[in-house]
Amino acid sequence: MPRVGCVVMAAGNGVRFGSNKLLAELEGRSLIRRVLDAVPAELLRAAVVVTQYPEVEALARGRGFQVVVNDRPDWGASYTVRLGLTALGDVDGAMFLVSDQPLLRRETVAGALGRFLGHPDRIVALGCDGRRGNPCIFPRKFFPELLALEGDRGGSAVIRAHPEALLLYPASAEELRDVDTVLALEGLRSRPEQPGDITKP
């Protein structure tokens, strides 16, 4: 069985939000807590959170995640990818989650992981109506390209270079919604409540 690790990318400066958006709350839970709740850690070889924020570090450690401190967030997403992937150690696949998809469901992430386990040579990502979203899971053969990324480039650059390797796992449009601005968060707060919005660990 392929061994898969998970990297939660939680080191961004959140410039467009104007503050540390990961601590902003939606329905009583912070954005970072909601993404940690969506990680099926029991199915993973390792689960790492890369962050620059002490509050996120404390929360992640308290929930059993390994933490890597990114003290150079200005180096961009590539540095977070490199720190997280290196920390995973000897794995056959790496799943990358962003921290600003507060409606992401644990069951969906587990389903994407199952799809990868059935196709361990493919890149598996969530998708809706043909549109790719996060998280994305990469086989080991793409690790060198991920480690070679520079600046504010993440796994999307690797996916664009290998479109034939991509396999989408269906998710709802709501799950793929991200929060880049305060306005986007307010839009989620004002939406009609949906059954199953709350994902328990």
PDB file of all heavy atoms in Angstrom, residues 55-95:
ATOM      1  N   GLU A  55       0.355  30.842  17.011  1.00  0.00           N
ATOM      2  CA  GLU A  55      -0.976  30.362  17.379  1.00  0.00           C
ATOM      3  C   GLU A  55      -1.341  29.105  16.585  1.00  0.00           C
ATOM      4  O   GLU A  55      -1.940  28.173  17.123  1.00  0.00           O
ATOM      5  CB  GLU A  55      -2.025  31.449  17.119  1.00  0.00           C
ATOM      6  CG  GLU A  55      -1.778  32.753  17.850  1.00  0.00           C
ATOM      7  CD  GLU A  55      -1.000  33.756  17.008  1.00  0.00           C
ATOM      8  OE1 GLU A  55      -0.257  33.328  16.080  1.00  0.00           O
ATOM      9  OE2 GLU A  55      -1.117  34.964  17.276  1.00  0.00           O
ATOM     10  N   VAL A  56      -0.974  29.095  15.308  1.00  0.00           N
ATOM     11  CA  VAL A  56      -1.238  27.920  14.469  1.00  0.00           C
ATOM     12  C   VAL A  56      -0.358  26.762  14.918  1.00  0.00           C
ATOM     13  O   VAL A  56      -0.806  25.610  14.989  1.00  0.00           O
ATOM     14  CB  VAL A  56      -1.011  28.248  12.987  1.00  0.00           C
ATOM     15  CG1 VAL A  56      -1.119  26.996  12.124  1.00  0.00           C
ATOM     16  CG2 VAL A  56      -2.007  29.309  12.519  1.00  0.00           C
ATOM     17  N   GLU A  57       0.895  27.054  15.235  1.00  0.00           N
ATOM     18  CA  GLU A  57       1.808  26.009  15.710  1.00  0.00           C
ATOM     19  C   GLU A  57       1.252  25.337  16.965  1.00  0.00           C
ATOM     20  O   GLU A  57       1.228  24.104  17.071  1.00  0.00           O
ATOM     21  CB  GLU A  57       3.178  26.606  16.010  1.00  0.00           C
ATOM     22  CG  GLU A  57       4.164  25.586  16.547  1.00  0.00           C
ATOM     23  CD  GLU A  57       5.521  26.190  16.874  1.00  0.00           C
ATOM     24  OE1 GLU A  57       5.721  27.394  16.632  1.00  0.00           O
ATOM     25  OE2 GLU A  57       6.385  25.441  17.373  1.00  0.00           O
ATOM     26  N   ALA A  58       0.776  26.139  17.918  1.00  0.00           N
ATOM     27  CA  ALA A  58       0.250  25.576  19.163  1.00  0.00           C
ATOM     28  C   ALA A  58      -0.973  24.706  18.907  1.00  0.00           C
ATOM     29  O   ALA A  58      -1.108  23.612  19.478  1.00  0.00           O
ATOM     30  CB  ALA A  58      -0.081  26.709  20.135  1.00  0.00           C
ATOM     31  N   LEU A  59      -1.875  25.184  18.063  1.00  0.00           N
ATOM     32  CA  LEU A  59      -3.080  24.416  17.764  1.00  0.00           C
ATOM     33  C   LEU A  59      -2.730  23.103  17.073  1.00  0.00           C
ATOM     34  O   LEU A  59      -3.254  22.038  17.423  1.00  0.00           O
ATOM     35  CB  LEU A  59      -4.021  25.238  16.873  1.00  0.00           C
ATOM     36  CG  LEU A  59      -5.305  24.525  16.424  1.00  0.00           C
ATOM     37  CD1 LEU A  59      -6.183  24.176  17.621  1.00  0.00           C
ATOM     38  CD2 LEU A  59      -6.082  25.390  15.426  1.00  0.00           C
ATOM     39  N   ALA A  60      -1.830  23.162  16.094  1.00  0.00           N
ATOM     40  CA  ALA A  60      -1.466  21.966  15.336  1.00  0.00           C
ATOM     41  C   ALA A  60      -0.778  20.931  16.234  1.00  0.00           C
ATOM     42  O   ALA A  60      -1.101  19.745  16.182  1.00  0.00           O
ATOM     43  CB  ALA A  60      -0.564  22.347  14.167  1.00  0.00           C
ATOM     44  N   ARG A  61       0.152  21.385  17.056  1.00  0.00           N
ATOM     45  CA  ARG A  61       0.838  20.446  17.952  1.00  0.00           C
ATOM     46  C   ARG A  61      -0.146  19.819  18.921  1.00  0.00           C
ATOM     47  O   ARG A  61      -0.057  18.619  19.222  1.00  0.00           O
ATOM     48  CB  ARG A  61       1.957  21.161  18.720  1.00  0.00           C
ATOM     49  CG  ARG A  61       3.144  21.554  17.863  1.00  0.00           C
ATOM     50  CD  ARG A  61       4.337  21.957  18.716  1.00  0.00           C
ATOM     51  NE  ARG A  61       5.399  22.548  17.934  1.00  0.00           N
ATOM     52  CZ  ARG A  61       6.286  21.868  17.215  1.00  0.00           C
ATOM     53  NH1 ARG A  61       6.221  20.549  17.184  1.00  0.00           N
ATOM     54  NH2 ARG A  61       7.235  22.502  16.541  1.00  0.00           N
ATOM     55  N   GLY A  62      -1.092  20.611  19.409  1.00  0.00           N
ATOM     56  CA  GLY A  62      -2.087  20.101  20.335  1.00  0.00           C
ATOM     57  C   GLY A  62      -2.992  19.049  19.727  1.00  0.00           C
ATOM     58  O   GLY A  62      -3.590  18.238  20.445  1.00  0.00           O
ATOM     59  N   ARG A  63      -3.081  19.047  18.404  1.00  0.00           N
ATOM     60  CA  ARG A  63      -3.916  18.071  17.702  1.00  0.00           C
ATOM     61  C   ARG A  63      -3.085  16.936  17.093  1.00  0.00           C
ATOM     62  O   ARG A  63      -3.597  16.155  16.299  1.00  0.00           O
ATOM     63  CB  ARG A  63      -4.740  18.778  16.629  1.00  0.00           C
ATOM     64  CG  ARG A  63      -5.705  19.818  17.215  1.00  0.00           C
ATOM     65  CD  ARG A  63      -6.379  20.632  16.133  1.00  0.00           C
ATOM     66  NE  ARG A  63      -7.365  19.849  15.416  1.00  0.00           N
ATOM     67  CZ  ARG A  63      -8.625  19.689  15.792  1.00  0.00           C
ATOM     68  NH1 ARG A  63      -9.054  20.263  16.903  1.00  0.00           N
ATOM     69  NH2 ARG A  63      -9.466  18.971  15.074  1.00  0.00           N
ATOM     70  N   GLY A  64      -1.817  16.868  17.469  1.00  0.00           N
ATOM     71  CA  GLY A  64      -0.984  15.738  17.066  1.00  0.00           C
ATOM     72  C   GLY A  64      -0.270  15.880  15.741  1.00  0.00           C
ATOM     73  O   GLY A  64       0.321  14.910  15.247  1.00  0.00           O
ATOM     74  N   PHE A  65      -0.288  17.072  15.143  1.00  0.00           N
ATOM     75  CA  PHE A  65       0.407  17.288  13.879  1.00  0.00           C
ATOM     76  C   PHE A  65       1.877  17.620  14.144  1.00  0.00           C
ATOM     77  O   PHE A  65       2.212  18.278  15.131  1.00  0.00           O
ATOM     78  CB  PHE A  65      -0.222  18.444  13.090  1.00  0.00           C
ATOM     79  CG  PHE A  65      -1.545  18.132  12.483  1.00  0.00           C
ATOM     80  CD1 PHE A  65      -2.707  18.180  13.241  1.00  0.00           C
ATOM     81  CD2 PHE A  65      -1.651  17.792  11.144  1.00  0.00           C
ATOM     82  CE1 PHE A  65      -3.945  17.889  12.685  1.00  0.00           C
ATOM     83  CE2 PHE A  65      -2.873  17.504  10.576  1.00  0.00           C
ATOM     84  CZ  PHE A  65      -4.028  17.561  11.344  1.00  0.00           C
ATOM     85  N   GLN A  66       2.733  17.184  13.245  1.00  0.00           N
ATOM     86  CA  GLN A  66       4.116  17.646  13.254  1.00  0.00           C
ATOM     87  C   GLN A  66       4.118  19.066  12.702  1.00  0.00           C
ATOM     88  O   GLN A  66       3.382  19.379  11.765  1.00  0.00           O
ATOM     89  CB  GLN A  66       4.981  16.736  12.379  1.00  0.00           C
ATOM     90  CG  GLN A  66       6.443  17.141  12.296  1.00  0.00           C
ATOM     91  CD  GLN A  66       7.231  16.249  11.351  1.00  0.00           C
ATOM     92  OE1 GLN A  66       6.768  15.170  10.940  1.00  0.00           O
ATOM     93  NE2 GLN A  66       8.420  16.685  10.980  1.00  0.00           N
ATOM     94  N   VAL A  67       4.953  19.935  13.275  1.00  0.00           N
ATOM     95  CA  VAL A  67       4.991  21.328  12.833  1.00  0.00           C
ATOM     96  C   VAL A  67       6.384  21.682  12.340  1.00  0.00           C
ATOM     97  O   VAL A  67       7.386  21.335  12.974  1.00  0.00           O
ATOM     98  CB  VAL A  67       4.573  22.290  13.965  1.00  0.00           C
ATOM     99  CG1 VAL A  67       4.756  23.742  13.535  1.00  0.00           C
ATOM    100  CG2 VAL A  67       3.128  22.042  14.377  1.00  0.00           C
ATOM    101  N   VAL A  68       6.434  22.366  11.217  1.00  0.00           N
ATOM    102  CA  VAL A  68       7.669  22.935  10.701  1.00  0.00           C
ATOM    103  C   VAL A  68       7.471  24.442  10.636  1.00  0.00           C
ATOM    104  O   VAL A  68       6.497  24.917  10.035  1.00  0.00           O
ATOM    105  CB  VAL A  68       8.018  22.386   9.305  1.00  0.00           C
ATOM    106  CG1 VAL A  68       9.268  23.074   8.762  1.00  0.00           C
ATOM    107  CG2 VAL A  68       8.222  20.881   9.355  1.00  0.00           C
ATOM    108  N   VAL A  69       8.361  25.185  11.265  1.00  0.00           N
ATOM    109  CA  VAL A  69       8.250  26.640  11.274  1.00  0.00           C
ATOM    110  C   VAL A  69       8.897  27.216  10.019  1.00  0.00           C
ATOM    111  O   VAL A  69      10.058  26.920   9.712  1.00  0.00           O
ATOM    112  CB  VAL A  69       8.910  27.237  12.527  1.00  0.00           C
ATOM    113  CG1 VAL A  69       8.886  28.765  12.478  1.00  0.00           C
ATOM    114  CG2 VAL A  69       8.202  26.740  13.782  1.00  0.00           C
ATOM    115  N   ASN A  70       8.133  28.005   9.304  1.00  0.00           N
ATOM    116  CA  ASN A  70       8.636  28.711   8.119  1.00  0.00           C
ATOM    117  C   ASN A  70       8.969  30.134   8.547  1.00  0.00           C
ATOM    118  O   ASN A  70       8.072  30.964   8.723  1.00  0.00           O
ATOM    119  CB  ASN A  70       7.567  28.703   7.015  1.00  0.00           C
ATOM    120  CG  ASN A  70       8.034  29.405   5.750  1.00  0.00           C
ATOM    121  OD1 ASN A  70       9.023  30.133   5.756  1.00  0.00           O
ATOM    122  ND2 ASN A  70       7.311  29.206   4.660  1.00  0.00           N
ATOM    123  N   ASP A  71      10.250  30.416   8.701  1.00  0.00           N
ATOM    124  CA  ASP A  71      10.663  31.751   9.127  1.00  0.00           C
ATOM    125  C   ASP A  71      10.983  32.670   7.955  1.00  0.00           C
ATOM    126  O   ASP A  71      11.429  33.793   8.151  1.00  0.00           O
ATOM    127  CB  ASP A  71      11.859  31.667  10.078  1.00  0.00           C
ATOM    128  CG  ASP A  71      13.060  30.950   9.465  1.00  0.00           C
ATOM    129  OD1 ASP A  71      12.948  30.521   8.296  1.00  0.00           O
ATOM    130  OD2 ASP A  71      14.085  30.824  10.161  1.00  0.00           O
ATOM    131  N   ARG A  72      10.719  32.170   6.734  1.00  0.00           N
ATOM    132  CA  ARG A  72      10.921  33.006   5.551  1.00  0.00           C
ATOM    133  C   ARG A  72       9.709  32.919   4.622  1.00  0.00           C
ATOM    134  O   ARG A  72       9.814  32.499   3.470  1.00  0.00           O
ATOM    135  CB  ARG A  72      12.193  32.576   4.796  1.00  0.00           C
ATOM    136  CG  ARG A  72      13.495  32.800   5.538  1.00  0.00           C
ATOM    137  CD  ARG A  72      13.662  34.243   6.024  1.00  0.00           C
ATOM    138  NE  ARG A  72      13.544  35.217   4.965  1.00  0.00           N
ATOM    139  CZ  ARG A  72      14.588  35.751   4.349  1.00  0.00           C
ATOM    140  NH1 ARG A  72      15.818  35.395   4.680  1.00  0.00           N
ATOM    141  NH2 ARG A  72      14.411  36.659   3.402  1.00  0.00           N
ATOM    142  N   PRO A  73       8.534  33.303   5.108  1.00  0.00           N
ATOM    143  CA  PRO A  73       7.344  33.241   4.252  1.00  0.00           C
ATOM    144  C   PRO A  73       7.449  34.128   3.024  1.00  0.00           C
ATOM    145  O   PRO A  73       6.764  33.896   2.024  1.00  0.00           O
ATOM    146  CB  PRO A  73       6.212  33.698   5.185  1.00  0.00           C
ATOM    147  CG  PRO A  73       6.889  34.498   6.255  1.00  0.00           C
ATOM    148  CD  PRO A  73       8.225  33.844   6.451  1.00  0.00           C
ATOM    149  N   ASP A  74       8.344  35.132   3.098  1.00  0.00           N
ATOM    150  CA  ASP A  74       8.533  36.014   1.946  1.00  0.00           C
ATOM    151  C   ASP A  74       9.202  35.294   0.779  1.00  0.00           C
ATOM    152  O   ASP A  74       9.228  35.821  -0.337  1.00  0.00           O
ATOM    153  CB  ASP A  74       9.379  37.230   2.356  1.00  0.00           C
ATOM    154  CG  ASP A  74      10.680  36.835   3.035  1.00  0.00           C
ATOM    155  OD1 ASP A  74      10.612  36.109   4.050  1.00  0.00           O
ATOM    156  OD2 ASP A  74      11.759  37.252   2.571  1.00  0.00           O
ATOM    157  N   TRP A  75       9.711  34.083   1.002  1.00  0.00           N
ATOM    158  CA  TRP A  75      10.295  33.304  -0.087  1.00  0.00           C
ATOM    159  C   TRP A  75       9.222  32.619  -0.926  1.00  0.00           C
ATOM    160  O   TRP A  75       9.550  31.998  -1.939  1.00  0.00           O
ATOM    161  CB  TRP A  75      11.269  32.274   0.473  1.00  0.00           C
ATOM    162  CG  TRP A  75      12.556  32.876   0.948  1.00  0.00           C
ATOM    163  CD1 TRP A  75      12.896  34.198   0.953  1.00  0.00           C
ATOM    164  CD2 TRP A  75      13.683  32.174   1.486  1.00  0.00           C
ATOM    165  NE1 TRP A  75      14.151  34.374   1.467  1.00  0.00           N
ATOM    166  CE2 TRP A  75      14.660  33.154   1.800  1.00  0.00           C
ATOM    167  CE3 TRP A  75      13.948  30.838   1.746  1.00  0.00           C
ATOM    168  CZ2 TRP A  75      15.894  32.818   2.357  1.00  0.00           C
ATOM    169  CZ3 TRP A  75      15.191  30.500   2.300  1.00  0.00           C
ATOM    170  CH2 TRP A  75      16.148  31.486   2.595  1.00  0.00           C
ATOM    171  N   GLY A  76       7.973  32.711  -0.515  1.00  0.00           N
ATOM    172  CA  GLY A  76       6.880  32.221  -1.343  1.00  0.00           C
ATOM    173  C   GLY A  76       6.472  30.792  -1.068  1.00  0.00           C
ATOM    174  O   GLY A  76       7.052  30.087  -0.238  1.00  0.00           O
ATOM    175  N   ALA A  77       5.452  30.350  -1.815  1.00  0.00           N
ATOM    176  CA  ALA A  77       4.865  29.027  -1.614  1.00  0.00           C
ATOM    177  C   ALA A  77       5.868  27.909  -1.833  1.00  0.00           C
ATOM    178  O   ALA A  77       5.778  26.841  -1.205  1.00  0.00           O
ATOM    179  CB  ALA A  77       3.672  28.844  -2.545  1.00  0.00           C
ATOM    180  N   SER A  78       6.840  28.125  -2.721  1.00  0.00           N
ATOM    181  CA  SER A  78       7.807  27.059  -3.010  1.00  0.00           C
ATOM    182  C   SER A  78       8.582  26.648  -1.771  1.00  0.00           C
ATOM    183  O   SER A  78       8.899  25.461  -1.589  1.00  0.00           O
ATOM    184  CB  SER A  78       8.768  27.506  -4.115  1.00  0.00           C
ATOM    185  OG  SER A  78       9.565  28.603  -3.680  1.00  0.00           O
ATOM    186  N   TYR A  79       8.880  27.604  -0.899  1.00  0.00           N
ATOM    187  CA  TYR A  79       9.633  27.284   0.312  1.00  0.00           C
ATOM    188  C   TYR A  79       8.779  26.464   1.280  1.00  0.00           C
ATOM    189  O   TYR A  79       9.275  25.519   1.911  1.00  0.00           O
ATOM    190  CB  TYR A  79      10.115  28.571   0.976  1.00  0.00           C
ATOM    191  CG  TYR A  79      11.101  28.349   2.104  1.00  0.00           C
ATOM    192  CD1 TYR A  79      12.209  27.537   1.935  1.00  0.00           C
ATOM    193  CD2 TYR A  79      10.911  28.958   3.338  1.00  0.00           C
ATOM    194  CE1 TYR A  79      13.120  27.336   2.970  1.00  0.00           C
ATOM    195  CE2 TYR A  79      11.808  28.766   4.376  1.00  0.00           C
ATOM    196  CZ  TYR A  79      12.916  27.956   4.181  1.00  0.00           C
ATOM    197  OH  TYR A  79      13.803  27.748   5.212  1.00  0.00           O
ATOM    198  N   THR A  80       7.503  26.780   1.372  1.00  0.00           N
ATOM    199  CA  THR A  80       6.597  25.987   2.201  1.00  0.00           C
ATOM    200  C   THR A  80       6.493  24.563   1.663  1.00  0.00           C
ATOM    201  O   THR A  80       6.515  23.592   2.422  1.00  0.00           O
ATOM    202  CB  THR A  80       5.208  26.641   2.249  1.00  0.00           C
ATOM    203  OG1 THR A  80       5.294  27.890   2.945  1.00  0.00           O
ATOM    204  CG2 THR A  80       4.188  25.759   2.972  1.00  0.00           C
ATOM    205  N   VAL A  81       6.380  24.426   0.350  1.00  0.00           N
ATOM    206  CA  VAL A  81       6.335  23.098  -0.268  1.00  0.00           C
ATOM    207  C   VAL A  81       7.606  22.322   0.064  1.00  0.00           C
ATOM    208  O   VAL A  81       7.559  21.142   0.457  1.00  0.00           O
ATOM    209  CB  VAL A  81       6.165  23.205  -1.796  1.00  0.00           C
ATOM    210  CG1 VAL A  81       6.406  21.864  -2.475  1.00  0.00           C
ATOM    211  CG2 VAL A  81       4.775  23.726  -2.135  1.00  0.00           C
ATOM    212  N   ARG A  82       8.751  22.977  -0.062  1.00  0.00           N
ATOM    213  CA  ARG A  82      10.027  22.302   0.179  1.00  0.00           C
ATOM    214  C   ARG A  82      10.162  21.880   1.646  1.00  0.00           C
ATOM    215  O   ARG A  82      10.583  20.751   1.941  1.00  0.00           O
ATOM    216  CB  ARG A  82      11.179  23.234  -0.222  1.00  0.00           C
ATOM    217  CG  ARG A  82      12.534  22.586  -0.233  1.00  0.00           C
ATOM    218  CD  ARG A  82      13.470  23.287  -1.204  1.00  0.00           C
ATOM    219  NE  ARG A  82      13.663  24.699  -0.909  1.00  0.00           N
ATOM    220  CZ  ARG A  82      13.197  25.686  -1.671  1.00  0.00           C
ATOM    221  NH1 ARG A  82      12.502  25.425  -2.765  1.00  0.00           N
ATOM    222  NH2 ARG A  82      13.418  26.943  -1.347  1.00  0.00           N
ATOM    223  N   LEU A  83       9.808  22.767   2.562  1.00  0.00           N
ATOM    224  CA  LEU A  83       9.891  22.430   3.986  1.00  0.00           C
ATOM    225  C   LEU A  83       8.972  21.257   4.325  1.00  0.00           C
ATOM    226  O   LEU A  83       9.364  20.322   5.033  1.00  0.00           O
ATOM    227  CB  LEU A  83       9.500  23.644   4.832  1.00  0.00           C
ATOM    228  CG  LEU A  83      10.483  24.810   4.890  1.00  0.00           C
ATOM    229  CD1 LEU A  83       9.856  25.970   5.653  1.00  0.00           C
ATOM    230  CD2 LEU A  83      11.784  24.394   5.565  1.00  0.00           C
ATOM    231  N   GLY A  84       7.736  21.317   3.833  1.00  0.00           N
ATOM    232  CA  GLY A  84       6.770  20.275   4.160  1.00  0.00           C
ATOM    233  C   GLY A  84       7.133  18.931   3.564  1.00  0.00           C
ATOM    234  O   GLY A  84       7.072  17.901   4.244  1.00  0.00           O
ATOM    235  N   LEU A  85       7.511  18.932   2.299  1.00  0.00           N
ATOM    236  CA  LEU A  85       7.837  17.679   1.627  1.00  0.00           C
ATOM    237  C   LEU A  85       9.064  17.029   2.260  1.00  0.00           C
ATOM    238  O   LEU A  85       9.111  15.806   2.451  1.00  0.00           O
ATOM    239  CB  LEU A  85       8.070  17.939   0.135  1.00  0.00           C
ATOM    240  CG  LEU A  85       8.276  16.708  -0.748  1.00  0.00           C
ATOM    241  CD1 LEU A  85       7.119  15.731  -0.622  1.00  0.00           C
ATOM    242  CD2 LEU A  85       8.434  17.145  -2.213  1.00  0.00           C
ATOM    243  N   THR A  86      10.060  17.832   2.606  1.00  0.00           N
ATOM    244  CA  THR A  86      11.253  17.291   3.262  1.00  0.00           C
ATOM    245  C   THR A  86      10.900  16.675   4.614  1.00  0.00           C
ATOM    246  O   THR A  86      11.410  15.608   4.983  1.00  0.00           O
ATOM    247  CB  THR A  86      12.301  18.398   3.441  1.00  0.00           C
ATOM    248  OG1 THR A  86      12.653  18.938   2.155  1.00  0.00           O
ATOM    249  CG2 THR A  86      13.551  17.857   4.112  1.00  0.00           C
ATOM    250  N   ALA A  87       9.998  17.316   5.350  1.00  0.00           N
ATOM    251  CA  ALA A  87       9.627  16.827   6.672  1.00  0.00           C
ATOM    252  C   ALA A  87       8.849  15.514   6.613  1.00  0.00           C
ATOM    253  O   ALA A  87       8.858  14.748   7.580  1.00  0.00           O
ATOM    254  CB  ALA A  87       8.799  17.884   7.408  1.00  0.00           C
ATOM    255  N   LEU A  88       8.184  15.245   5.500  1.00  0.00           N
ATOM    256  CA  LEU A  88       7.399  14.008   5.398  1.00  0.00           C
ATOM    257  C   LEU A  88       8.273  12.766   5.411  1.00  0.00           C
ATOM    258  O   LEU A  88       7.826  11.682   5.802  1.00  0.00           O
ATOM    259  CB  LEU A  88       6.557  14.016   4.118  1.00  0.00           C
ATOM    260  CG  LEU A  88       5.370  14.961   4.084  1.00  0.00           C
ATOM    261  CD1 LEU A  88       4.617  14.806   2.768  1.00  0.00           C
ATOM    262  CD2 LEU A  88       4.430  14.726   5.263  1.00  0.00           C
ATOM    263  N   GLY A  89       9.506  12.896   4.961  1.00  0.00           N
ATOM    264  CA  GLY A  89      10.406  11.745   4.965  1.00  0.00           C
ATOM    265  C   GLY A  89      10.091  10.757   3.860  1.00  0.00           C
ATOM    266  O   GLY A  89       9.742  11.136   2.734  1.00  0.00           O
ATOM    267  N   ASP A  90      10.168   9.481   4.184  1.00  0.00           N
ATOM    268  CA  ASP A  90      10.066   8.412   3.185  1.00  0.00           C
ATOM    269  C   ASP A  90       8.607   8.058   2.917  1.00  0.00           C
ATOM    270  O   ASP A  90       8.034   7.195   3.580  1.00  0.00           O
ATOM    271  CB  ASP A  90      10.830   7.182   3.676  1.00  0.00           C
ATOM    272  CG  ASP A  90      10.891   6.087   2.625  1.00  0.00           C
ATOM    273  OD1 ASP A  90      10.689   6.391   1.431  1.00  0.00           O
ATOM    274  OD2 ASP A  90      11.123   4.929   3.000  1.00  0.00           O
ATOM    275  N   VAL A  91       7.996   8.754   1.962  1.00  0.00           N
ATOM    276  CA  VAL A  91       6.608   8.479   1.583  1.00  0.00           C
ATOM    277  C   VAL A  91       6.538   8.270   0.072  1.00  0.00           C
ATOM    278  O   VAL A  91       7.430   8.676  -0.671  1.00  0.00           O
ATOM    279  CB  VAL A  91       5.656   9.625   1.999  1.00  0.00           C
ATOM    280  CG1 VAL A  91       5.557   9.724   3.510  1.00  0.00           C
ATOM    281  CG2 VAL A  91       6.098  10.960   1.397  1.00  0.00           C
ATOM    282  N   ASP A  92       5.453   7.641  -0.368  1.00  0.00           N
ATOM    283  CA  ASP A  92       5.243   7.381  -1.787  1.00  0.00           C
ATOM    284  C   ASP A  92       4.357   8.430  -2.452  1.00  0.00           C
ATOM    285  O   ASP A  92       4.277   8.497  -3.676  1.00  0.00           O
ATOM    286  CB  ASP A  92       4.605   6.006  -1.974  1.00  0.00           C
ATOM    287  CG  ASP A  92       5.448   4.906  -1.353  1.00  0.00           C
ATOM    288  OD1 ASP A  92       6.629   4.781  -1.715  1.00  0.00           O
ATOM    289  OD2 ASP A  92       4.928   4.174  -0.479  1.00  0.00           O
ATOM    290  N   GLY A  93       3.678   9.217  -1.632  1.00  0.00           N
ATOM    291  CA  GLY A  93       2.811  10.255  -2.142  1.00  0.00           C
ATOM    292  C   GLY A  93       2.710  11.384  -1.145  1.00  0.00           C
ATOM    293  O   GLY A  93       2.853  11.173   0.070  1.00  0.00           O
ATOM    294  N   ALA A  94       2.485  12.602  -1.635  1.00  0.00           N
ATOM    295  CA  ALA A  94       2.376  13.779  -0.767  1.00  0.00           C
ATOM    296  C   ALA A  94       1.126  14.558  -1.128  1.00  0.00           C
ATOM    297  O   ALA A  94       0.954  14.956  -2.283  1.00  0.00           O
ATOM    298  CB  ALA A  94       3.609  14.663  -0.898  1.00  0.00           C
ATOM    299  N   MET A  95       0.282  14.767  -0.135  1.00  0.00           N
ATOM    300  CA  MET A  95      -0.940  15.550  -0.317  1.00  0.00           C
ATOM    301  C   MET A  95      -0.717  16.943   0.256  1.00  0.00           C
ATOM    302  O   MET A  95      -0.265  17.079   1.392  1.00  0.00           O
ATOM    303  CB  MET A  95      -2.117  14.868   0.378  1.00  0.00           C
ATOM    304  CG  MET A  95      -3.397  15.687   0.342  1.00  0.00           C
ATOM    305  SD  MET A  95      -4.866  14.715   0.821  1.00  0.00           S
ATOM    306  CE  MET A  95      -4.414  14.166   2.465  1.00  0.00           C
TER     307      MET A  95
END
